[in-house]
Amino acid sequence: MSSTPPPATLALPVTDDALAARLRARMETVEKLLDGHVEGRTAYVTEAARHLLAAGGKRFRPLLVLLASETGEHPDSDDVLTAACVVEITHLGSLYHDDVMDEAALRRGADSANARWDNLVAILTGDFLFARSSELTSRLGADAVRIQAETFTRLVEGQIMETVPPADGEDPLEHYLEVVAGKTGSLIATSARYGARFGGASREVEEALAAYGEIVGSAFQLSDDILDIASESDDSGKTPGTDLREGVPTLPTLMAQSACRSSTDPADARLLELLSGPITDDGEVEEALALLRAHPAMEQARDYVVARAAEAKALLEILPRTPVRTALESFADLVATRTG
């Protein structure tokens, strides 16, 4: 049983036909490799490990590996394909753990592993995938093992930090941005780094793309935060206010809370009251959404993401004007302005 084929459209905006064709062909190879790499020694382990792989996904991280490898002299290296599998399998493992932490029932439109089996199976399957990604990383050499270990440390630390409030005197927004950088930015940074490194790019290009990946990866999550408030369900396919219902801090809510604390406006006092914890009443969710959509914090959050995207694009000036650079710039723009 093989996993679901990669999506017909690429998760990154690529307008050059030749580049897009190369990436699609190589993503098909990555998909086949992924299916083999998550196979266990027993049918039970294989079924559990393939569960979320088969559910699909944008495969954004391995695609970024392939795109970044185009900045080097040998993007068709087998090591690039291995690196693409490493980052996607690491990401998949984190999803199994996330669903347990969030008590999620669905993932990518399918039952989560913890809902289909139980928490123990989901946790151990995530561990299996992390172990498999480590096995693959060892094929790439000692330095790649170090990079993967450092990335995994940041990812897990970000997950831990998400479960605890900011320390006394710590800025809640800075705490949240650290969580996002660890949970999301770190692995996307490594995706870009691995692509450049194993594609044969210079060290200067590798460092620039790693920094680009961290910024864009974090900005992608922050734009999700904005969509959770600003979007209509029909526009984005998301249910607005999900984070409000779960009491999850986000970029716009943290910015709104900071502004509301020093405001004398009764509407701000009400918004601050609503944002003090999870909102279980549907009417209060709608009230909070209306207040947030009208609050200057929404524009402040958008401006922050746009500025981060511009910062990421500036790092690409080290690259020549090619379809690869254009695609990377377009992705940064998409992150800043996306509606779904």
Side-chain angles (χ1 to χ4, degrees), residues 22-72:
R22 287 199 305 276
L23 292 173
R24 286 195 189 95
R26 299 180 75 208
M27 278 302 297
E28 289 180 6
T29 301
V30 168
E31 199 72 28
K32 293 173 184 175
L33 290 171
L34 284 169
D35 193 61
H37 289 322
V38 302
E39 185 175 354
R41 295 168 66 180
T42 67
Y44 186 87
V45 171
T46 300
E47 181 186 5
R50 280 182 175 159
H51 180 64
L52 290 186
L53 183 68
K58 294 180 179 179
R59 306 286 193 258
F60 158 54
R61 290 158 187 81
L63 180 57
L64 182 57
V65 174
L66 300 184
L67 181 59
S69 75
E70 294 277 341
T71 64

Coordinates of all heavy atoms in Angstrom, one line a residue, residues 22-72:
R22 N 10.7 20.1 -13.1 CA 11.8 19.3 -12.4 C 11.3 19.1 -11.0 O 11.5 18.0 -10.5 CB 13.1 20.2 -12.4 CG 13.8 20.2 -13.7 CD 15.2 20.6 -13.6 NE 15.4 21.9 -12.8 CZ 15.4 23.1 -13.4 NH1 15.1 23.2 -14.7 NH2 15.7 24.2 -12.7
L23 N 10.8 20.0 -10.3 CA 10.4 19.9 -8.9 C 9.3 18.8 -8.8 O 9.3 18.0 -7.9 CB 9.9 21.2 -8.4 CG 11.0 22.3 -8.2 CD1 10.4 23.6 -7.8 CD2 12.1 21.8 -7.2
R24 N 8.3 18.8 -9.7 CA 7.2 17.8 -9.6 C 7.8 16.4 -9.8 O 7.4 15.5 -9.1 CB 6.2 18.1 -10.7 CG 5.3 19.3 -10.4 CD 4.0 19.3 -11.3 NE 3.3 20.6 -11.1 CZ 3.5 21.6 -11.9 NH1 4.3 21.6 -12.9 NH2 2.8 22.7 -11.7
A25 N 8.7 16.3 -10.8 CA 9.2 15.0 -11.0 C 10.0 14.5 -9.8 O 9.9 13.3 -9.4 CB 10.1 15.0 -12.3
R26 N 10.8 15.3 -9.2 CA 11.6 14.9 -8.1 C 10.7 14.7 -6.8 O 11.0 13.9 -6.0 CB 12.7 15.9 -7.8 CG 13.6 16.0 -9.1 CD 14.7 17.0 -8.9 NE 15.7 16.5 -8.0 CZ 16.5 17.2 -7.2 NH1 16.4 18.5 -7.2 NH2 17.4 16.6 -6.4
M27 N 9.6 15.5 -6.7 CA 8.7 15.3 -5.6 C 8.0 13.9 -5.7 O 7.7 13.3 -4.7 CB 7.7 16.4 -5.5 CG 8.1 17.6 -4.8 SD 8.7 17.4 -3.1 CE 7.2 16.8 -2.3
E28 N 7.8 13.5 -6.9 CA 7.2 12.1 -7.1 C 8.2 11.1 -6.5 O 7.8 10.1 -5.9 CB 6.9 11.8 -8.5 CG 5.7 12.6 -9.1 CD 5.5 12.3 -10.5 OE1 6.1 11.5 -11.1 OE2 4.6 13.0 -11.1
T29 N 9.5 11.3 -6.8 CA 10.5 10.4 -6.3 C 10.6 10.4 -4.8 O 10.6 9.4 -4.1 CB 11.9 10.8 -6.9 OG1 11.9 10.7 -8.3 CG2 13.0 9.8 -6.3
V30 N 10.5 11.6 -4.2 CA 10.5 11.8 -2.8 C 9.3 11.1 -2.1 O 9.4 10.4 -1.1 CB 10.5 13.3 -2.4 CG1 10.2 13.5 -0.9 CG2 11.8 13.9 -2.7
E31 N 8.2 11.2 -2.8 CA 7.0 10.5 -2.2 C 7.2 9.0 -2.2 O 6.8 8.4 -1.2 CB 5.8 10.9 -3.1 CG 4.4 10.6 -2.5 CD 4.1 11.7 -1.4 OE1 4.6 12.8 -1.4 OE2 3.4 11.3 -0.4
K32 N 7.7 8.4 -3.2 CA 8.0 7.0 -3.2 C 9.0 6.6 -2.1 O 8.8 5.6 -1.4 CB 8.5 6.5 -4.6 CG 7.4 6.7 -5.7 CD 8.0 6.4 -7.1 CE 7.0 6.6 -8.2 NZ 7.6 6.4 -9.5
L33 N 10.0 7.4 -2.0 CA 11.0 7.2 -1.0 C 10.4 7.2 0.4 O 10.7 6.4 1.3 CB 12.2 8.1 -1.1 CG 13.1 8.0 -2.3 CD1 14.1 9.1 -2.4 CD2 13.9 6.6 -2.2
L34 N 9.6 8.2 0.7 CA 8.9 8.4 2.0 C 8.1 7.2 2.3 O 8.2 6.7 3.5 CB 8.0 9.6 2.0 CG 8.7 11.0 2.0 CD1 7.7 12.1 1.8 CD2 9.3 11.2 3.4
D35 N 7.4 6.7 1.4 CA 6.6 5.5 1.6 C 7.4 4.3 2.1 O 7.0 3.5 3.0 CB 5.8 5.1 0.4 CG 4.7 4.1 0.6 OD1 3.8 4.5 1.4 OD2 4.8 3.0 0.1
G36 N 8.6 4.2 1.5 CA 9.5 3.1 1.9 C 10.2 3.3 3.2 O 10.3 2.4 4.1
H37 N 10.5 4.6 3.5 CA 11.3 4.9 4.7 C 10.4 4.8 6.0 O 11.0 4.5 7.0 CB 11.8 6.3 4.6 CG 12.9 6.5 3.7 ND1 13.9 5.5 3.5 CD2 13.3 7.5 2.8 CE1 14.8 6.0 2.6 NE2 14.4 7.2 2.2
V38 N 9.1 4.9 5.9 CA 8.3 4.8 7.1 C 7.8 3.4 7.3 O 7.0 3.1 8.2 CB 7.1 5.8 7.0 CG1 7.5 7.2 6.9 CG2 6.1 5.4 5.9
E39 N 8.2 2.4 6.5 CA 7.9 1.0 6.6 C 8.6 0.4 7.8 O 9.8 0.6 8.0 CB 8.2 0.2 5.4 CG 7.7 -1.2 5.4 CD 8.0 -1.9 4.1 OE1 8.4 -1.3 3.2 OE2 7.7 -3.1 4.1
G40 N 7.8 -0.2 8.7 CA 8.4 -0.8 9.9 C 8.6 -2.3 9.6 O 8.4 -2.8 8.5
R41 N 9.1 -3.0 10.7 CA 9.3 -4.5 10.6 C 8.1 -5.3 10.7 O 8.1 -6.5 10.4 CB 10.3 -4.9 11.6 CG 11.7 -4.2 11.4 CD 12.6 -4.4 12.6 NE 13.0 -5.8 12.9 CZ 13.8 -6.2 13.8 NH1 14.3 -5.3 14.7 NH2 14.1 -7.4 14.0
T42 N 7.0 -4.6 11.2 CA 5.7 -5.3 11.2 C 4.6 -4.5 10.5 O 4.8 -3.3 10.4 CB 5.3 -5.5 12.7 OG1 5.0 -4.2 13.3 CG2 6.4 -6.2 13.5
A43 N 3.6 -5.2 10.1 CA 2.5 -4.5 9.4 C 1.8 -3.5 10.3 O 1.4 -2.4 9.8 CB 1.5 -5.6 9.0
Y44 N 1.7 -3.8 11.6 CA 1.1 -2.9 12.5 C 1.8 -1.5 12.6 O 1.2 -0.4 12.5 CB 1.0 -3.5 13.9 CG 0.2 -2.7 14.9 CD1 -1.2 -2.8 15.0 CD2 0.8 -1.8 15.8 CE1 -1.9 -2.1 16.0 CE2 0.1 -1.0 16.7 CZ -1.2 -1.2 16.8 OH -2.0 -0.5 17.7
V45 N 3.1 -1.6 12.8 CA 3.9 -0.4 12.9 C 3.9 0.4 11.5 O 3.7 1.6 11.5 CB 5.4 -0.7 13.2 CG1 6.3 0.5 13.1 CG2 5.5 -1.3 14.6
T46 N 3.9 -0.3 10.4 CA 3.9 0.3 9.1 C 2.5 1.0 8.9 O 2.5 2.2 8.4 CB 4.1 -0.7 8.0 OG1 5.3 -1.4 8.2 CG2 4.0 -0.1 6.6
E47 N 1.5 0.4 9.3 CA 0.2 1.0 9.1 C 0.1 2.3 10.0 O -0.4 3.3 9.5 CB -0.9 0.0 9.6 CG -2.4 0.6 9.4 CD -3.4 -0.3 10.0 OE1 -3.1 -1.3 10.6 OE2 -4.6 0.1 9.9
A48 N 0.5 2.2 11.2 CA 0.5 3.4 12.0 C 1.4 4.5 11.5 O 1.0 5.7 11.5 CB 0.9 3.1 13.5
A49 N 2.6 4.2 11.0 CA 3.5 5.2 10.5 C 3.1 5.8 9.2 O 3.4 6.9 8.9 CB 4.9 4.6 10.4
R50 N 2.4 5.0 8.4 CA 1.9 5.5 7.1 C 0.6 6.3 7.2 O 0.2 6.9 6.3 CB 1.7 4.4 6.1 CG 3.0 3.9 5.5 CD 2.7 2.7 4.5 NE 3.9 2.3 3.8 CZ 4.1 1.2 3.2 NH1 3.1 0.2 3.3 NH2 5.2 0.9 2.6
H51 N 0.0 6.3 8.4 CA -1.4 6.8 8.5 C -1.4 8.3 8.1 O -2.2 8.6 7.3 CB -1.8 6.6 10.0 CG -3.2 7.2 10.2 ND1 -4.3 6.6 9.6 CD2 -3.6 8.2 11.0 CE1 -5.4 7.3 10.0 NE2 -5.0 8.2 10.9
L52 N -0.6 9.1 8.7 CA -0.6 10.5 8.4 C 0.1 10.8 7.0 O -0.3 11.8 6.3 CB 0.0 11.4 9.5 CG -0.8 11.4 10.8 CD1 -0.1 12.4 11.7 CD2 -2.2 11.9 10.5
L53 N 1.0 10.0 6.7 CA 1.7 10.2 5.3 C 0.6 10.0 4.2 O 0.6 10.8 3.3 CB 2.8 9.1 5.2 CG 3.6 9.2 3.9 CD1 4.4 10.5 3.8 CD2 4.5 8.0 3.7
A54 N -0.2 9.0 4.4 CA -1.2 8.7 3.4 C -2.4 9.7 3.4 O -3.1 9.9 2.4 CB -1.8 7.3 3.6
A55 N -2.5 10.5 4.5 CA -3.5 11.5 4.6 C -3.2 12.7 3.7 O -4.0 13.6 3.5 CB -3.7 11.9 6.0
G56 N -2.0 12.8 3.2 CA -1.6 13.8 2.3 C -0.8 14.9 3.0 O 0.0 14.7 3.9
G57 N -1.1 16.2 2.6 CA -0.3 17.3 3.1 C 0.4 18.0 1.9 O 0.5 17.4 0.8
K58 N 0.8 19.2 2.2 CA 1.4 20.0 1.1 C 2.9 19.6 0.8 O 3.4 19.9 -0.3 CB 1.4 21.5 1.5 CG 0.0 22.0 1.6 CD 0.0 23.5 2.0 CE -1.4 24.0 2.0 NZ -1.4 25.5 2.4
R59 N 3.5 18.9 1.7 CA 4.9 18.5 1.5 C 5.8 19.7 1.3 O 6.7 19.7 0.4 CB 5.1 17.5 0.3 CG 4.2 16.3 0.4 CD 4.7 15.3 1.5 NE 4.1 14.0 1.3 CZ 3.1 13.5 2.1 NH1 2.6 14.3 3.1 NH2 2.5 12.4 1.9
F60 N 5.5 20.8 2.0 CA 6.2 22.0 1.8 C 7.6 21.9 2.2 O 8.5 22.5 1.5 CB 5.4 23.1 2.6 CG 6.2 24.3 3.0 CD1 6.9 25.0 2.1 CD2 6.3 24.7 4.4 CE1 7.6 26.1 2.4 CE2 7.1 25.8 4.7 CZ 7.7 26.5 3.7
R61 N 8.0 21.2 3.2 CA 9.4 21.2 3.7 C 10.3 20.4 2.7 O 11.3 20.9 2.3 CB 9.4 20.5 5.1 CG 8.8 21.5 6.2 CD 8.4 20.7 7.4 NE 7.7 21.6 8.3 CZ 6.4 22.0 8.2 NH1 5.7 21.5 7.2 NH2 5.9 22.8 9.1
P62 N 9.9 19.2 2.2 CA 10.8 18.6 1.2 C 10.8 19.3 -0.1 O 11.9 19.4 -0.7 CB 10.1 17.2 1.0 CG 8.7 17.3 1.5 CD 8.8 18.3 2.6
L63 N 9.8 20.0 -0.4 CA 9.8 20.8 -1.6 C 10.8 22.0 -1.5 O 11.5 22.3 -2.4 CB 8.4 21.4 -1.9 CG 8.3 22.2 -3.2 CD1 8.8 21.5 -4.4 CD2 6.8 22.7 -3.4
L64 N 10.8 22.6 -0.3 CA 11.8 23.6 -0.1 C 13.2 23.1 -0.2 O 14.1 23.8 -0.7 CB 11.6 24.3 1.3 CG 12.5 25.5 1.6 CD1 12.4 26.6 0.6 CD2 12.1 26.0 3.0
V65 N 13.5 21.9 0.3 CA 14.8 21.3 0.2 C 15.2 21.2 -1.3 O 16.3 21.6 -1.7 CB 14.8 19.8 0.8 CG1 16.2 19.1 0.5 CG2 14.6 19.9 2.3
L66 N 14.2 20.7 -2.1 CA 14.5 20.6 -3.6 C 14.7 21.9 -4.2 O 15.6 22.1 -5.1 CB 13.3 19.8 -4.2 CG 13.0 18.4 -3.8 CD1 11.9 17.8 -4.6 CD2 14.2 17.5 -3.8
L67 N 13.9 22.9 -3.9 CA 14.0 24.2 -4.5 C 15.4 24.9 -4.1 O 16.1 25.4 -4.9 CB 12.9 25.1 -4.0 CG 12.9 26.5 -4.6 CD1 12.8 26.5 -6.1 CD2 11.7 27.3 -4.1
A68 N 15.7 24.8 -2.8 CA 17.0 25.3 -2.3 C 18.2 24.7 -3.0 O 19.2 25.3 -3.2 CB 17.1 25.2 -0.8
S69 N 18.0 23.4 -3.3 CA 19.2 22.6 -3.9 C 19.5 23.2 -5.3 O 20.6 23.0 -5.8 CB 18.8 21.1 -4.0 OG 17.9 20.9 -5.0
E70 N 18.5 23.8 -5.9 CA 18.7 24.4 -7.2 C 19.7 25.6 -7.2 O 20.1 26.0 -8.3 CB 17.3 24.9 -7.8 CG 16.4 23.7 -8.1 CD 16.6 23.1 -9.4 OE1 17.3 23.7 -10.3 OE2 16.1 21.9 -9.7
T71 N 20.0 26.1 -6.0 CA 21.0 27.1 -5.9 C 22.4 26.6 -6.0 O 23.4 27.4 -6.1 CB 20.9 27.9 -4.6 OG1 21.1 27.1 -3.5 CG2 19.5 28.5 -4.5
G72 N 22.6 25.3 -6.0 CA 23.9 24.6 -6.0 C 24.2 24.0 -7.4 O 23.5 24.1 -8.3

